[in-house]
Structure formats: C-alpha cells, structure tokens
Amino acid sequence: MFSTRSKTAAALLCSAAIAVSASACSSSSSKPSAAPAASSSSSMAAAGSSSSSDMSTSTSTANSADAPFGTACSAVPTTGAGSFTGMATAPVATAASNNPVLSTLVTAVQAAGLADTLNNTQGITVFAPTNDAFAKIPAATLKSVLADKAQLTKILTYHVVSGRLTPSQLAGTHTTLEGGTVTVSGSGQSFKVNDANVVCGNVQTANATVYIVDSVLMPPTS
C-alpha cells in the first residue's frame, strides 16, 4: 500500500518537474527575439538621420546657387529696402532707388522717364551700372547725355533684355529693348557683358533679375 502511494507521488513530482522545466526553456528561448527589433529600429533611425542630412545639404547647395555673387555685393546694404531681401520685394526701378550703389543709374532712369516702364514690365534682366561706372564717363559728357532724353533712353534700354536670365542662361548674345544686342561671356560666377564686368550678379527684384556691372554699356552707333 505504502509502496503504491510512494510510486504515485513520485510520478506526480516528476510530471511537475517536467512542466516547470519546459516552461523555463520556453521563457528562455523567447527572450533573444527582442534583439532584432531593437537593431531594426536603430537602422531605421540611422537611415532617417542620413536622409535628413542629405536633404539639408541639398537645400543648402540650392540656396547657395540662387544667391547673389560678386565682389561688389559686399557694398549692398545688409538690411532695409536696399538690401537683397528688400530689393526682392519691389519692382526693379523702385528696388534700385533704395540701393545707394545704384543712385546715379536711378537719376538717369528718372531723367529718361523710364521708371514706370521698368517697374511695370514683367520678366526682364537688367544690367545695372554702378555709380563708379558712370563716374568713368567725363562729367561734361554725362551731363550732356542726361539732358538728351532720346539719347539717354537709347542707352538705358540697351541695358535691358527680355526674360529673367539665370547665371546658367546668361552667356550668349541677347537682344535688348533698345533693339541692339549685348554679348555675355563667361560662366559660373565670372561674366562680362560686352566689355563690362559683372561685379554683383543674380540680384532679384519683384519683376527682374539684375546683374550689376562696372561700366556703362553703349549701344552701337551704326
């Protein structure tokens, strides 16, 4: 009798031990499965970080390509209506009037009565001579030209071409509003318009792209 009960108890204890052992094995084998998930999350985070960095670099490069360039750009005000940001919000004649680098050009535009025409013409490129460019012209000659509206209009409209030319589109021969042509040579951030150097290029206004030049362009006399 006692022997039979002992055998039964022993069998029950053995079954319990097997169950506990199976449970322990099952629990132990399930733990490593969490590691791949963590690894996957890390990979996704790294990929996301890399993608964000690439996008940031791409945006920075695009913004740099769109920015004004040239040695004379440092003379343009950094704030206010005459700054690059301020000029971008105004039509070209108004924008130029706010920029002290172009004050002589503005005087000439007003003398010719072209301010409204330039402000209201959409999609143009203007080659804008600096004050120093006008200073190269003998004072008596400049005074005479400013007093001759027809001649002044001819000269000023020779500085304007149709279309907002980007730096990549600038090189070549372009027909001006005066009717003659200007020839632009160069590439990148180094250009000449006829014999004038672009000293600050790719300046944006509300209706025009401006390339500031160091000499006044003179239309052919023929």
Side-chain angles (χ1 to χ4, degrees):
M1 182 76 173
F2 177 80
S3 176
T4 301
R5 288 178 179 177
S6 296
K7 289 181 180 180
T8 302
L12 290 172
L13 287 172
C14 186
S15 297
I18 292 172
V20 169
S21 177
S23 175
C25 290
S26 174
S27 175
S28 176
S29 63
S30 66
K31 287 181 179 179
S33 64
S39 176
S40 176
S41 297
S42 298
S43 298
M44 290 176 66
S49 176
S50 175
S51 176
S52 176
S53 176
D54 290 345
M55 289 176 65
S56 176
T57 301
S58 177
T59 300
S60 175
T61 301
N63 289 340
S64 177
D66 293 339
F69 61 84
T71 56
C73 289
S74 60
V76 175
T78 56
T79 60
S83 67
F84 293 129
T85 301
M87 291 179 70
T89 65
V92 64
T94 301
S97 71
N98 293 324
N99 191 328
V101 175
L102 303 174
S103 58
T104 306
L105 172 62
V106 171
T107 297
V109 167
Q110 292 173 342
L114 290 174
D116 287 342
T117 298
L118 292 174
N119 277 344
N120 293 322
T121 303
Q122 299 301 310
I124 54 177
T125 294
V126 177
F127 301 110
T130 62
N131 295 340
D132 290 342
F134 281 99
K136 294 179 182 180
I137 302 173
T141 302
L142 180 58
K143 182 178 179 180
S144 175
V145 170
L146 290 174
D148 185 340
K149 187 173 181 179
Q151 178 65 9
L152 184 59
T153 298
K154 183 178 178 70
I155 293 172
L156 292 176
T157 54
Y158 185 66
H159 289 73
V160 184
V161 302
S162 296
R164 300 184 68 145
L165 300 177
T166 65
S168 63
Q169 299 170 325
L170 195 57
T173 299
H174 308 283
T175 301
T176 69
L177 297 190
E178 179 269 340
T181 60
V182 292
T183 299
V184 182
S185 58
S187 62
Q189 296 186 356
S190 178
F191 294 96
K192 291 178 75 73
V193 186
N194 292 350
D195 293 324
N197 296 299
V198 173
V199 292
C200 185
N202 203 33
V203 178
Q204 302 302 313
T205 72
N207 67 320
T209 298
V210 178
Y211 292 87
I212 299 175
V213 294
D214 65 358
S215 297
V216 177
L217 307 177
M218 301 302 291
T221 56
S222 56

